Amino acid sequence: MFGDVKFVCVGGSPWRMKAFTEYIAAELAMEDPKSEYPNICAGTDRYAMYKVGPVLSVSHGMGIPSIAIMLHELIKLLYHAHCKDVTIFRIGTSGGIGLEPGTVVVTRQSVDATFEPKFEQVILGKTVLRNTDLDQSLAEELLQCSKELGQFETVIGNTMCTLDFYEGQARLDGAFCSYSEKDKRDYLIKAKEAGVCNIEMESSVFSAMCKLSGLRAAVVCVTLLDRLKGDQVISSHEVLNDFQKRPQILVGCFIKKQLMTKAQPS
Amino acid sequence: MFGDVKFVCVGGSPWRMKAFTEYIAAELAMEDPKSEYPNICAGTDRYAMYKVGPVLSVSHGMGIPSIAIMLHELIKLLYHAHCKDVTIFRIGTSGGIGLEPGTVVVTRQSVDATFEPKFEQVILGKTVLRNTDLDQSLAEELLQCSKELGQFETVIGNTMCTLDFYEGQARLDGAFCSYSEKDKRDYLIKAKEAGVCNIEMESSVFSAMCKLSGLRAAVVCVTLLDRLKGDQVISSHEVLNDFQKRPQILVGCFIKKQLMTKAQPS
């Protein structure tokens, strides 16, 4: 059932991964109007998984621990199904720094809260540092897709991955806040100067685990707001819905191109 | 709508929190056979929230980042609704160390992977240590409830909270494993010697945030397996389902006693 998988897309929300599956089915002309795409993980409410042709879509919940559990299980699944040359994408949303909301960021390196490109994995109580480099040629190919599409702005840049959405991302609107608006601004400007384009909560462990297991990987997140201008998303529901489709459209374009190239006689 | 809330129960899974709501409604004789308990957070698939009388139930997903986002938003909600004297419980599942599967652990202290009772919160790139003490009198009252119920074993002990389910908890069955079975056993025995009774993934930030915001808090988790004997849960679906109800039954008993005590003329 999984042996033909060549592309995996992971994202936070179950229903958005279902929507992506429907989108990719239409893009690849693989849709069956009568078919519902069944959740392969039905019976658990931890994750949802959908498959259409060579594309597997999986939800991962929020934060490093949640996506790490899913990735352990996904990597085992791909191994036992003898899948080869798999490309994996995390698609999602993020807070931008100094970018127009709606800009798509393809991650060069995932950095921690001190802007270092590393992920700290605790093993038997000891901290092991792991590399968070992503595939640069894949990032460039995605940027090229965006140019061909011409529908929205896409940049390549560093993505800061935090363990916390409020205090960890210098928000002023959480239940606790022990710093001033100036402290927040200074921190975000330092991040920007270190090459950080956006902030999210899963890219570091995703990069580290994909690198360790030899999966070609990219992180593609749209920015919903500019954190230098505020903490709360103020765009309309309609605009946000359009923004959230952008990573799907970009990754969909890439997958379609790849499959068309392979289908051509050499 | 939320002003009368006196008890909050949080747990990983949306459908289990719905099941808890149905259970507590029956226990408190507040059930309405015709009524479906609506998900107050419908329209988002991040969390689910249910309310029956003074009891609010909220799902929190998996891991520290996921529960932290929910707690920030819950604490703000309770504040703006002017709720007073709220008691909050995390109910869930865990891996036990040297305990018969099915034992319920009420947490004394939540400890990290080095068995220290602290939670590291990263704020503007700097690590701040937070205390993870829980309310000892509440833990004792829950233990007393278990004795009165006489249905299952309950102990008070330390709970180790990790950022990762596989390497972080010394499992041998993840996608990667860089240590031997002996290393694993040595680590778990050290944990046991440090007073750790069980391992889960949310108690440290839960304890820290509840303490900071003045919520009386308890962590009540059933053990699904003894990690000294293996990594995989091998009990039958039926047995596991019974185990998973135990924290609900214990917390339900406590809430019922509290409400009955308050209802009596003084």
Side-chain angles (χ1 to χ4, degrees):
Chain A
M1 174 176 184
F2 295 105
D4 63 336
V5 169
K6 287 288 170 198
F7 305 97
V8 181
C9 288
V10 305
S13 138
W15 70 263
R16 204 162 287 283
M17 295 323 292
K18 189 174 189 192
F20 175 73
T21 299
E22 288 161 2
Y23 173 76
I24 204 79
E27 278 296 294
L28 303 182
M30 282 182 166
E31 80 268 44
D32 175 357
K34 278 183 223 155
S35 97
E36 271 280 295
Y37 299 99
N39 174 6
I40 300 168
C41 295
T44 160
D45 57 0
R46 301 303 194 187
Y47 305 109
M49 181 186 277
Y50 304 95
K51 183 176 180 296
V52 60
V55 184
L56 194 64
S57 300
V58 197
S59 71
H60 57 60
M62 283 186 286
I64 288 171
S66 187
I67 193 174
I69 296 176
M70 185 277 283
L71 287 173
H72 271 281
E73 292 164 10
L74 174 71
I75 291 164
K76 288 195 281 182
L77 182 153
L78 296 174
Y79 172 80
H80 289 295
H82 306 289
C83 298
K84 295 254 180 289
D85 303 322
V86 173
T87 304
I88 184 166
F89 307 89
R90 163 162 148 69
I91 56 176
T93 60
S94 62
I97 305 185
L99 295 174
E100 193 64 31
T103 305
V104 173
V105 179
V106 180
T107 303
R108 176 179 291 120
Q109 280 184 316
S110 174
V111 301
D112 67 11
T114 63
F115 322 132
E116 294 293 326
K118 60 182 165 62
F119 172 65
E120 297 189 353
Q121 172 70 47
V122 178
I123 303 178
L124 310 185
K126 296 196 177 70
T127 300
V128 174
L129 294 186
R130 287 185 173 159
N131 184 296
T132 56
D133 286 345
L134 289 154
D135 190 301
Q136 292 312 300
S137 64
L138 180 57
E140 293 293 344
E141 285 172 57
L142 286 161
L143 191 66
Q144 183 57 33
C145 283
S146 178
K147 284 179 187 154
E148 289 165 20
L149 283 165
Q151 294 178 21
F152 44 80
E153 188 71 26
T154 300
V155 298
I156 293 181
N158 287 352
T159 297
M160 181 159 78
C161 181
T162 67
L163 278 166
D164 180 53
F165 184 77
Y166 288 97
E167 295 172 285
Q169 297 189 9
R171 277 187 160 77
L172 301 169
D173 59 349
F176 321 116
C177 182
S178 55
Y179 41 87
S180 68
E181 189 159 355
K182 181 178 180 304
D183 296 336
K184 167 199 158 172
R185 206 179 158 78
D186 290 348
Y187 179 67
L188 293 179
I189 285 172
K190 260 192 229 169
K192 188 172 155 62
E193 288 168 355
V196 174
C197 285
N198 63 337
I199 315 176
E200 48 77 89
M201 298 181 68
E202 292 87 12
S203 61
S204 61
V205 75
F206 173 84
S207 307
M209 289 181 71
C210 292
K211 195 170 171 80
L212 269 181
S213 54
L215 290 167
R216 196 178 188 217
V219 176
V220 183
C221 290
V222 69
T223 61
L224 297 185
L225 75 168
D226 180 358
R227 288 296 316 289
L228 294 178
K229 293 184 181 160
D231 290 338
Q232 301 202 348
V233 172
I234 47 169
S235 302
S236 71
H237 184 77
E238 201 178 12
V239 166
L240 290 177
N241 208 31
D242 171 61
F243 287 174
Q244 297 192 23
K245 285 181 185 157
R246 294 179 176 184
Q248 302 189 5
I249 293 168
L250 192 53
V251 168
C253 169
F254 175 87
I255 292 174
K256 199 172 165 183
K257 268 177 78 172
Q258 289 288 109
L259 291 175
M260 284 171 68
T261 311
K262 288 214 174 120
Q264 277 170 0
S266 56
Chain B
M1 175 178 185
F2 295 105
D4 64 337
V5 169
K6 287 288 171 196
F7 305 97
V8 180
C9 287
V10 305
S13 137
W15 69 264
R16 204 162 287 282
M17 295 323 292
K18 189 175 189 193
F20 176 73
T21 299
E22 288 160 2
Y23 173 78
I24 203 80
E27 278 295 294
L28 303 182
M30 283 180 166
E31 80 268 44
D32 175 355
K34 280 184 224 156
S35 97
E36 272 280 297
Y37 299 99
N39 174 7
I40 301 167
C41 296
T44 160
D45 57 0
R46 301 301 192 189
Y47 305 109
M49 181 185 279
Y50 304 94
K51 184 176 180 294
V52 60
V55 184
L56 194 65
S57 300
V58 197
S59 70
H60 57 60
M62 285 186 284
I64 288 172
S66 187
I67 193 175
I69 296 175
M70 185 277 283
L71 287 173
H72 270 282
E73 292 163 12
L74 174 70
I75 291 165
K76 288 193 282 183
L77 183 154
L78 296 174
Y79 172 81
H80 289 295
H82 306 290
C83 297
K84 295 253 181 290
D85 303 321
V86 173
T87 304
I88 183 166
F89 307 89
R90 160 160 151 69
I91 57 175
T93 61
S94 62
I97 305 186
L99 295 174
E100 193 64 31
T103 305
V104 173
V105 179
V106 181
T107 303
R108 177 179 292 120
Q109 280 184 315
S110 175
V111 301
D112 66 12
T114 63
F115 323 131
E116 294 293 325
K118 60 182 165 62
F119 172 65
E120 297 189 353
Q121 172 70 47
V122 178
I123 302 178
L124 310 185
K126 297 194 177 73
T127 299
V128 174
L129 294 186
R130 285 184 175 161
N131 184 297
T132 56
D133 286 344
L134 289 154
D135 190 301
Q136 293 312 300
S137 64
L138 179 58
E140 293 292 343
E141 285 172 57
L142 286 161
L143 190 66
Q144 182 57 33
C145 282
S146 177
K147 283 178 189 157
E148 289 165 20
L149 283 165
Q151 294 177 22
F152 45 79
E153 189 72 25
T154 300
V155 299
I156 294 180
N158 288 350
T159 297
M160 182 159 79
C161 182
T162 68
L163 277 166
D164 180 53
F165 184 77
Y166 288 98
E167 295 173 286
Q169 296 188 10
R171 276 186 161 77
L172 302 168
D173 60 349
F176 322 116
C177 181
S178 56
Y179 41 88
S180 68
E181 190 159 355
K182 183 180 179 303
D183 295 336
K184 167 201 159 172
R185 206 178 158 76
D186 290 349
Y187 179 66
L188 292 180
I189 286 172
K190 259 193 229 167
K192 188 171 153 59
E193 288 168 355
V196 174
C197 286
N198 64 337
I199 315 176
E200 47 78 86
M201 298 180 67
E202 292 87 12
S203 61
S204 62
V205 74
F206 172 84
S207 306
M209 288 181 72
C210 291
K211 196 171 171 76
L212 269 180
S213 54
L215 289 167
R216 198 179 185 215
V219 176
V220 183
C221 289
V222 69
T223 62
L224 296 184
L225 76 168
D226 180 358
R227 289 295 316 288
L228 293 178
K229 293 184 179 158
D231 289 339
Q232 300 202 349
V233 172
I234 48 169
S235 302
S236 70
H237 184 77
E238 201 178 12
V239 166
L240 290 175
N241 208 30
D242 171 61
F243 286 175
Q244 297 192 23
K245 285 180 184 157
R246 293 179 176 183
Q248 301 189 6
I249 293 169
L250 193 53
V251 168
C253 169
F254 175 87
I255 291 174
K256 200 172 164 184
K257 267 176 78 173
Q258 289 288 110
L259 292 175
M260 283 170 69
T261 310
K262 289 216 172 116
Q264 278 171 359
S266 55

